[in-house]
Structure formats: structure tokens, C-alpha cells
Amino acid sequence: MKNRFPASEQKERRDNLYSRLRGDIVTMRKQGNFPEKDPSTFSKYYCDLCNDSFPLNEIKQCTLCGRWACSSCWTQDFYVCNSCNGVIKLHTMTFKNPVPEEKED
């Protein structure tokens, strides 16, 4: 299947998408910073999305926002948390029938 856009335009579209994502996704924690520890357990940490506690080896840090997420709150496709995955999906959606702009009277 042939692409609709020349290579230079594809790169520009990718760069633009990345810039928009970085603008819309707030960094919750820097990469490499540990998740919040569950004080009621010896060695468990909180998932930033569902707030359940898990051993460190069962949660992953999102590459975009820095949140730590368990397997239920994780999207393997882009190696990001479900929250960031939702933002990615919103930015990559294509509408067949976009909502028309309202006219001012």
C-alpha cells in the first residue's frame, strides 16, 4: 500500500504529533524516580493510576509522563500508561465527518 504523503511531509507530521503530545501530557515524575511506596507493606509500590500496590517488578514507568502503572493500567503498543495512550488516541484520530465550526452572528 502506497503512502499518501511524501517522506518529508510524513516526518513533519510525526514531529508535529510528538510536539503536540509533549505539550498536552504533563510530566508527573521524572524518568528513573521511584513510585510512591505503600507504607503498609514491606516492598510494594502504588500504581499511579489505580492506586493498588504491587511489587516494583510488576509495574512500569511511562515513557511520556513518568507515572508508574500496573499491567491493567498499561498499554504495550506505545509502552505508555493508559492515560497517555488516551491522549495519543485523541491526537491520532481521524474524523470522517468533522464537527463544523459554529458561525458567529
Side-chain angles (χ1 to χ4, degrees):
M1 180 176 190
K2 193 169 184 177
N3 231 323
R4 300 184 320 196
F5 304 104
S8 61
E9 190 173 335
Q10 287 177 24
K11 182 181 180 330
E12 183 179 324
R13 290 168 62 88
R14 270 194 314 271
D15 292 346
N16 188 22
L17 173 62
Y18 182 75
S19 296
R20 288 184 297 161
L21 285 172
R22 293 307 301 162
D24 285 349
I25 295 174
V26 177
T27 301
M28 305 304 285
R29 186 179 285 109
K30 290 183 180 182
Q31 291 298 317
N33 287 2
F34 281 95
E36 187 177 334
K37 191 165 178 63
D38 181 355
S40 66
T41 66
F42 179 69
S43 61
K44 289 189 177 182
Y45 297 85
Y46 286 115
C47 167
D48 289 324
L49 295 173
C50 70
N51 217 27
D52 282 342
S53 61
F54 298 91
L56 189 58
N57 66 341
E58 291 183 20
I59 56 178
K60 299 174 186 173
Q61 189 172 27
C62 179
T63 58
L64 295 177
C65 69
R67 286 183 182 100
W68 286 86
C70 65
S71 60
S72 316
C73 299
W74 189 257
T75 303
Q76 192 62 34
D77 296 341
F78 299 109
Y79 206 75
V80 295
C81 67
N82 287 349
S83 178
C84 290
N85 186 55
V87 175
I88 291 171
K89 284 190 181 225
L90 285 173
H91 279 285
T92 57
M93 278 180 154
T94 55
F95 296 99
K96 291 183 180 180
N97 299 313
V99 177
E101 293 181 23
E102 292 183 21
K103 295 181 183 176
E104 291 184 25
D105 292 329

